[in-house]
């Protein structure tokens, strides 16, 4: 149980375009979802926290207009990187928690490359 | 604030060697402690956890004991395999919080 999927696993896009990453909880209802960014050989950096039906809470230094997060249902959250630039290239990981459960379940990650 | 300090890697071992990856933490109250593993190109997987002092978490031959007196949660395995090559993250989560604090990660490389 407690499986989280991400799609796509890898994406390459041109500079200036937008790309959407999906995060789904497959067998539980995710009341809260989290988006992390991981730079090479570094730890995870929390970008934002989103609760279903509410606006996301962004960490300091994360541009909310650049990284649009939507958590429209209890099983799906999306991260849209708008007007992507090469410096946005990174590994993006989502995680989710269920009702009354503090445990975070991580997705497999999405490798974004902006050319 | 809360913080987690891990030994720097990479840690390079031969197959069947003994593994220790040190982790110490700073936190208020009584946090839960975790080890996550990240295989190349993948997300994080929970390896083991401990929720109170003197608890021992174990999984897949890995163990770690919650030592409150030394604020440590060192990861050990008696005999590593090539398939254990990955990055290992120590983390803590304070009471009532969803969000873990991660260490920087320690890369483990196991040679045949």
């Amino acid at each position: 149980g407690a499986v989280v999927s991400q799609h796509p696993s890898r994406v390459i896009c041109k500079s200036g375009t937008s790309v959407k990453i999906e995060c789904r909880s497959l067998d539980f209802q995710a009341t809260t979802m989290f988006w992390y960014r991981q730079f090479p050989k570094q730890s995870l950096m929390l970008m934002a926290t989103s609760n279903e039906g509410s606006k996301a809470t962004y960490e300091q230094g994360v541009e909310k207009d650049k990284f649009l997060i939507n958590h429209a249902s209890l099983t799906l959250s999306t991260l849209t990187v708008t007007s992507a630039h090469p410096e946005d290239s990174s590994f993006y990981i989502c995680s989710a928690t269920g009702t009354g459960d503090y445990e975070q379940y991580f997705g497999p990650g999405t490798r974004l490359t902006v050319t | 604030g809360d913080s987690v300090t891990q030994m720097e890697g990479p840690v390079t071992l031969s197959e069947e060697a003994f593994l220790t990856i040190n982790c110490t933490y700073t936190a208020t109250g009584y946090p839960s402690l975790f080890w996550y593993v990240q295989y190349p190109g993948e997300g994080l997987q929970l390896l083991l956890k401990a929720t109170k002092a003197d608890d021992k978490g174990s999984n897949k031959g890995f163990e770690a004991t919650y030592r409150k007196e030394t604020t440590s949660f060192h990861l050990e395995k008696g005999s590593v395999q090539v398939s254990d090559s990955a990055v290992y993250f120590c983390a803590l989560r304070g009471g009532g919080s969803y969000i873990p604090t991660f260490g920087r990660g320690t890369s483990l490389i196991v040679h045949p």
Side-chain angles (χ1 to χ4, degrees), chain A residues 1-4 44 93-97 101-108, chain B residues 32-39 42-51 57-64 73 75 86-93 98 100-102:
Chain A
V3 178
V4 175
L44 281 69
I93 302 175
C94 74
S95 69
T97 57
D101 182 2
Y102 287 111
E103 201 65 60
Q104 283 202 21
Y105 303 99
F106 287 84
Chain B
S32 295
L33 302 175
F34 306 83
W35 277 100
Y36 289 89
V37 58
Q38 184 178 32
Y39 297 102
E42 299 184 13
L44 270 67
Q45 299 175 29
L46 178 64
L47 180 60
L48 53 85
K49 68 178 182 181
T51 57
S58 61
N59 185 26
K60 300 182 181 180
F62 291 89
E63 293 183 339
F73 193 54
L75 182 68
V87 180
Y88 292 82
F89 291 92
C90 185
L92 70 82
R93 192 182 69 225
Y98 290 114
T101 298
F102 289 94

Side-chain angles (χ1 to χ4, degrees), chain B residues 70-81:
Chain B
T70 55
T71 61
S72 65
F73 193 54
H74 305 322
L75 182 68
E76 296 182 337
K77 186 174 185 182
S79 176
V80 293
Q81 305 300 312

Side-chain angles (χ1 to χ4, degrees), chain A residues 2-49:
Chain A
V3 178
V4 175
S5 70
Q6 281 184 242
H7 178 79
S9 57
R10 291 178 175 272
V11 58
I12 301 173
C13 70
K14 292 188 182 300
S15 188
T17 62
S18 296
V19 62
K20 181 185 287 187
I21 302 169
E22 292 185 349
C23 176
R24 293 182 186 272
S25 58
L26 298 185
D27 51 2
F28 68 102
Q29 293 188 325
T31 50
T32 306
M33 285 184 163
F34 306 83
W35 287 95
Y36 293 85
R37 182 172 180 178
Q38 186 181 29
F39 293 98
K41 299 187 188 300
Q42 295 193 26
S43 191
L44 281 69
M45 180 190 79
L46 180 65
M47 299 173 66
T49 303

